[in-house]
Amino acid sequence: MTSQITTVPFRDLARVHTIGRTASRAGVSAALDSVDFTRPSHLIERFETAWADYCGVRHAVATSSGSTALLLAYLALGIGPGDEVLTVPNTFVATAEAALLLGARVRLADIDPATLAIDQDQAIGMLTDRTKAVVPLHPFGRFAELDRLGPACAARGIALVEEACHAHGARRGSVMAGAAGDCGVFSFGPTKPLAGLGEGGAVVTDDDELAERLRRLNNHGRVGGQHAGLGLNFRIHPIEASYLSTRLALYPELVERRREIARQYNDAFREYGVTGNTDVADPAGHSYYVYVLAVPERDRFCKRLTADGVGWDVHYPIAIHRQQAHLSRFADSCLPHCDEAQQRIVSIPLYDGLTDAEVGYVIDHVRSALDDLAA
Ligand SMILES: Cc1ncc(COP(=O)(O)O)c(C=O)c1O
């Protein structure tokens, strides 16, 4: 067992945000000094350009959060009453909530129990004439399989909105998360792989017309001096945009370190059959927002981790169809793979700044907890 260390917290935001502090402090100071807070703010434009470049698309529209990015994307796609939006139950509630707020009906497709991503065939079978958008989650950073669902949506004129709030920098071949669909939605909350100061988000797209609608809606429907349509203020704060620009410069290195830690975890835990979501053939296919194991007897396993000082959490403890606000809405949904996965999933520490010794400590204690379950 690794010595000295007695605890590894599940998350350590102070540590995450200390990395690159000198550069980010300088970036924030320069932004403060520029007082460039009115529109158009070059601080926002600079981040939008950099984020679009990183994602390999022509446009990024930055927003105040991932939740407002979802709402903005749905608004720009014209989603409203009478429309159906198809997504998964094991996502953060905002994915469905934003569509529900617009009066659309949300339907939930089950997940593939191995990858925790949308079950493509079930989703294709659920498409109707009313389906306006399909919103697959890249769960916990793993690029979802979209090879059948994408073309099925395109053939029917249904928008594919990638729920990429976990998946910064995940890619399939040369296609980055966010660039595979009609648009992709990101959160830059402080715990996300590309972590902002507090709140932030973006919608990315290669579609010039969609980008134009997104920009307009993000600024009260304004075109030139006129308010030509409805919209609202969903905009990111320029200081946040500036902070994110400095973080983005570090991000390729940070995400590679996450992948290196995940590789060590995968090698250590694979033999127990608990690494479905995390074990990807190409490590670039995952951003490892969180590292999720699927273990039998989770309570016993977690008790043991707690006793050994290894932090853990569950993403997400209650699936959407089991949330109080949505019980009646999804009363007749049948989502057995999600329900089963919900009993098994547990996330263990993986974040920027985790040391090799801490990774070793986590590995040792997770392995002995898994050995105990197997005994
Ligand atoms: C999958 C997913 N979608 C949307 C959101 C909402 O993002 P935000 O918290 O930035 O509003 C989150 C944030 O936790 C998320 O994990």
Side-chain angles (χ1 to χ4, degrees), residues 65-68 70 91-92 94-95 137 163 165-166 187-189 192 199-200 289 316:
S65 69
S67 304
T68 51
L70 282 161
T91 178
F92 184 61
T95 316
L137 175 73
E163 224 298 6
C165 284
H166 301 164
S187 163
F188 305 117
K192 293 297 187 290
E199 309 288 351
Y289 164 49
Y316 296 93

Side-chain angles (χ1 to χ4, degrees), residues 341-362:
Q342 288 299 121
Q343 308 303 313
R344 290 171 167 257
I345 48 172
V346 55
S347 315
I348 60 170
L350 198 170
Y351 41 85
D352 304 334
L354 209 59
T355 65
D356 287 339
E358 289 169 319
V359 170
Y361 184 89
V362 173

Side-chain angles (χ1 to χ4, degrees), residues 73-112:
Y74 295 164
L75 275 167
L77 292 168
I79 290 168
D83 295 329
E84 290 179 3
V85 171
L86 181 63
T87 187
V88 285
N90 62 333
T91 178
F92 184 61
V93 72
T95 316
E97 193 175 33
L100 292 167
L101 284 170
L102 295 175
R105 176 178 179 214
V106 170
R107 300 185 69 212
L108 300 173
D110 208 353
I111 56 171
D112 174 330

Side-chain angles (χ1 to χ4, degrees), residues 5-19:
I5 296 167
T6 54
T7 176
V8 179
F10 174 67
R11 201 165 251 155
D12 185 348
L13 280 193
R15 207 186 311 185
V16 169
H17 287 268
T18 300
I19 298 169

